[in-house]
Amino acid sequence: MVFAKGRKVFIKTGFTDMRKQINGLAAIAESSMPEPPLSGAYFVFCGKTRRLIKVLYWDQTGFCLWMKRLEEATFPWPASDEEFGEITRQQLKLALRGIDVFSEHKRLEYSSVA
C-alpha cells in the first residue's frame, strides 16, 4: 500500500472487533477520532490477536479498506484504550513491518542544560 503524502494517520488504540467492515469501522472513526472519516485521513485498527490490521480511508469517490494479516508473529500495538493516537506515515510503515514504534524513546525538549 502506498500512503499518500499529507494525509494524517490515526490509530484506534486498544483492540477492535475485526469482524467489522467499512460501515462499522467508519462509525468507530466518526465517534472516536479527531477528524471525520471523510477527511481523507487514514484510520488504523488492530484486532485482539494482533495478527490483523485494517486501514480505512476515503479516496474522494468512496471508502477503501486495506487489510494485512500475519500468518506468524504479531503486530506491535498499544493495548491502552486512549481512544485514538496520531502517528506519522513512516511510523505506520515501520509498524506494518513489525517494528514497535509505540515504545520508542520520547523526544525531550529542554530550554537549558543546567
Side-chain angles (χ1 to χ4, degrees):
M1 176 178 186
V2 177
F3 297 105
K5 291 183 181 180
R7 289 189 185 198
K8 292 182 178 182
V9 179
F10 297 103
I11 62 165
K12 172 70 173 90
T13 59
F15 304 111
T16 303
D17 180 358
M18 288 290 104
R19 295 174 293 181
K20 294 187 183 300
Q21 295 300 318
I22 290 173
N23 292 341
L25 295 174
I28 292 171
E30 188 168 54
S31 67
S32 65
M33 301 290 187
E35 289 195 12
L38 300 175
S39 68
Y42 295 112
F43 300 96
V44 187
F45 306 89
C46 187
K48 190 171 186 175
T49 63
R50 298 186 312 139
R51 294 181 61 194
L52 182 65
I53 281 185
K54 290 184 179 182
V55 180
L56 176 75
Y57 61 98
W58 176 259
D59 77 347
Q60 305 304 316
T61 60
F63 279 107
C64 298
L65 184 62
W66 181 86
M67 179 175 78
K68 182 172 182 177
R69 183 185 73 201
L70 294 176
E71 298 302 321
E72 296 181 18
T74 59
F75 288 107
W77 199 258
S80 67
D81 282 329
E82 296 176 1
E83 289 299 315
F84 74 92
E86 186 174 353
I87 60 174
T88 65
R89 290 178 321 122
Q90 185 63 28
Q91 287 174 314
L92 178 57
K93 289 179 185 180
L94 292 171
L96 290 173
R97 305 247 332 146
I99 298 170
D100 189 358
V101 298
F102 304 108
S103 63
E104 68 181 328
H105 296 287
K106 301 296 180 206
R107 184 177 189 161
L108 302 176
E109 297 192 23
Y110 296 104
S111 59
S112 70
V113 295

